[in-house]
Amino acid sequence: MSKKQHQEVSEFQFWLQRLGKTSLRALHIVGIVGAGGGLLLGIEQSLWINYWILAMTSGVALFAWEVIRDWRWLIQLKGVLTIFKVLLLGLFIPMADWKPEITIFIVLLSVVVSHGPAGLRHYSVVHRKVIHGKKEIKG
């Protein structure tokens, strides 16, 4: 089997992966909206903790999806900024009074990571140039 044949996926596999990643991303957004709303409005944690758990679980799954698909994601700006967002979440403990501001910054950073131009998202901080990994399954 040639390398090209090995990399190609069947139409069924493509749609399965596409719908899987899209569904996972949708769950992540629901979790972010629920937890973010609770954080921004200062609502009692017990009312939004399940959203937080959904956001963290789906976020870990999306992170793993990208790393398993292509390890170079970790050195591309989209991966580096995702790791930075996770580190920002760690500030919730020492900077608890700043949770709303940190949440807003993470959401804004997420927009840049998700909707920025490919040249920005695929920029390698190691190679100092744009590198393209394996063909992505959007979602």
Side-chain angles (χ1 to χ4, degrees), residues 25-118:
R25 188 176 306 281
L27 289 173
H28 188 64
I29 292 169
V30 168
I32 295 299
V33 168
L39 286 163
L40 292 175
L41 299 174
I43 296 172
E44 182 182 328
Q45 182 178 357
S46 65
L47 298 173
W48 55 265
I49 191 66
N50 289 334
Y51 290 104
W52 178 265
I53 293 167
L54 178 61
M56 295 304 111
T57 304
S58 57
V60 167
L62 285 165
F63 191 98
W65 180 300
E66 294 296 346
V67 173
I68 290 167
R69 184 188 60 78
D70 188 352
W71 67 269
R72 290 173 287 201
W73 180 85
L74 291 168
I75 62 171
Q76 290 174 314
L77 206 50
K78 57 188 174 179
V80 172
L81 291 176
T82 299
I83 293 167
F84 181 62
K85 291 187 305 183
V86 172
L87 293 173
L88 288 172
L89 286 173
L91 293 177
F92 275 20
I93 296 167
M95 299 176 69
D97 292 341
W98 289 83
K99 283 181 185 177
E101 291 82 359
I102 295 169
T103 300
I104 290 169
F105 185 70
I106 290 171
V107 169
L108 294 174
L109 194 54
S110 297
V111 171
V112 171
V113 173
S114 295
H115 301 285

